[in-house]
């Protein structure tokens, strides 16, 4: 019973509605403004050609609360793009940042694997939504990697849908496995609390696969 109570304490439950509301607003802004921002880089993308899919721990139901209540969601954006012609993924990431930017209100950040939007209260982030960007060419998907001013950037072949399907298949009717993943992720959260070196923190996806 102690573990069941512990699971109830750490799993994401009541915050879901707030996340959905923010996600839907950002998704609409992305559709409305991303194509125009891409035009500035000579990239032609239409709102109707974009696809949005939930991925990550929220998709598979293993998200846990952080000590300050911070919760996150991954919303992948897929769009057709010739990555040979447009070989610098930093351009679409900058376009995404501009599309979601509202000065002094909403300030997106470009991270190595995604563009992220954080929401703060009293100076503390309580929620963030990550946008991994995927170019689609010849039925293959490529993740935009690299920070805004990094010289290390690339389009990396990926399969976000296949990965989500794999996890959903593994977790089907296995709630105990979900609980175990949450326990391990909580242990990681405690052990690496305050860590400034992201390279020493094991990725949650790796811990999930190990479980």
């Amino acid at each position: 019973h102690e573990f069941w109570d512990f699971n109830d304490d750490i799993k994401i439950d009541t915050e879901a509605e707030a996340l959905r509301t923010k996600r839907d607003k950002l998704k609409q802004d992305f559709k409305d403004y991303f194509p125009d921002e891409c035009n500035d880089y000579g990239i032609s993308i239409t709102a109707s050609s974009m696809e949005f899919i939930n991925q990550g721990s929220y998709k598979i139901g293993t998200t846990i609360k952080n000590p300050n209540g911070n919760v996150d969601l991954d919303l992948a954006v897929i769009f057709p793009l010739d990555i040979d012609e447009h070989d610098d993924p930093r351009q679409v990431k900058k376009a995404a940042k501009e599309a979601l930017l509202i000065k002094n209100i909403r300030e997106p950040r470009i991270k190595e694997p995604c563009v992220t939007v954080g929401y703060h209260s009293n100076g503390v982030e309580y929620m963030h939504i990550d946008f991994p960007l995927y170019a689609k060419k010849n039925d293959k998907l490529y993740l935009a990697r690299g920070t805004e001013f990094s010289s290390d950037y690339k389009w990396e072949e990926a399969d976000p849908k296949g990965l989500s399907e794999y996890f959903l298949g593994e977790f089907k009717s296995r709630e105990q496995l979900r609980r175990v993943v949450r326990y391990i992720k909580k242990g990681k959260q405690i052990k690496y609390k305050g860590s400034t070196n992201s390279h020493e923190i094991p990725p949650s996806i790796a811990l999930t696969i190990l479980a």
Side-chain angles (χ1 to χ4, degrees), residues 45-190:
I45 294 172
T46 62
S48 60
S49 70
M50 289 191 288
E51 182 184 359
F52 296 83
I53 59 170
N54 283 322
Q55 64 174 69
S57 60
Y58 200 83
K59 169 83 172 179
I60 60 177
T62 58
T63 305
I64 64 168
K65 299 172 185 172
N66 285 328
N68 60 1
N70 186 11
V71 294
D72 69 280
L73 183 146
D74 293 84
L75 184 63
V77 188
I78 301 169
F79 43 82
L81 184 68
D82 186 336
I83 61 169
D84 294 321
E85 183 181 348
H86 302 284
D87 60 356
D88 188 345
R90 295 174 302 176
Q91 293 180 334
V92 294
K93 294 179 93 166
K94 284 188 246 187
K97 177 183 175 180
E98 291 299 320
L100 298 173
L101 174 68
I102 302 175
K103 284 284 187 188
N104 301 318
I105 296 176
R106 189 203 290 161
E107 303 271 356
R109 291 177 294 126
I110 295 178
K111 295 167 69 175
E112 200 280 332
C114 64
V115 176
T116 186
V117 177
Y119 294 90
H120 299 78
S121 176
N122 298 321
V124 177
E125 185 178 277
Y126 68 90
M127 180 191 306
H128 70 266
I129 299 178
D130 292 334
F131 290 86
L133 306 178
Y134 295 92
K136 185 175 185 178
K137 183 183 181 186
N138 298 333
D139 290 326
K140 288 188 176 180
L141 298 182
Y142 300 85
L143 174 64
R145 301 205 72 124
T147 55
E148 191 166 1
F149 303 108
S150 172
S151 58
D152 184 18
Y153 56 87
K154 64 180 176 179
W155 288 107
E156 181 179 84
E157 188 173 344
D159 183 16
K161 291 181 179 178
L163 191 62
S164 289
E165 287 167 6
Y166 163 74
F167 280 127
L168 289 172
E170 289 296 313
F171 282 113
K172 190 174 183 180
S173 302
R174 297 171 77 184
E175 282 306 309
Q176 172 64 2
L177 179 57
R178 278 196 173 90
R179 288 191 287 271
V180 167
V181 170
R182 291 189 195 112
Y183 303 151
I184 294 171
K185 287 170 71 171
K186 186 63 181 178
K188 162 193 159 178
Q189 197 180 82
I190 293 167

Side-chain angles (χ1 to χ4, degrees), residues 15-57:
E15 292 90 346
E17 188 58 40
L19 265 180
R20 280 195 293 267
T21 301
K22 298 290 188 188
R23 178 197 63 194
D24 291 346
K25 173 61 177 153
L26 290 171
K27 182 177 172 182
Q28 190 58 53
D29 285 354
F30 211 103
K31 284 182 179 177
D32 291 344
Y33 305 117
F34 182 61
D36 286 342
E37 296 295 342
C38 282
N39 278 335
D40 292 344
Y41 296 97
I43 297 171
S44 179
I45 294 172
T46 62
S48 60
S49 70
M50 289 191 288
E51 182 184 359
F52 296 83
I53 59 170
N54 283 322
Q55 64 174 69
S57 60

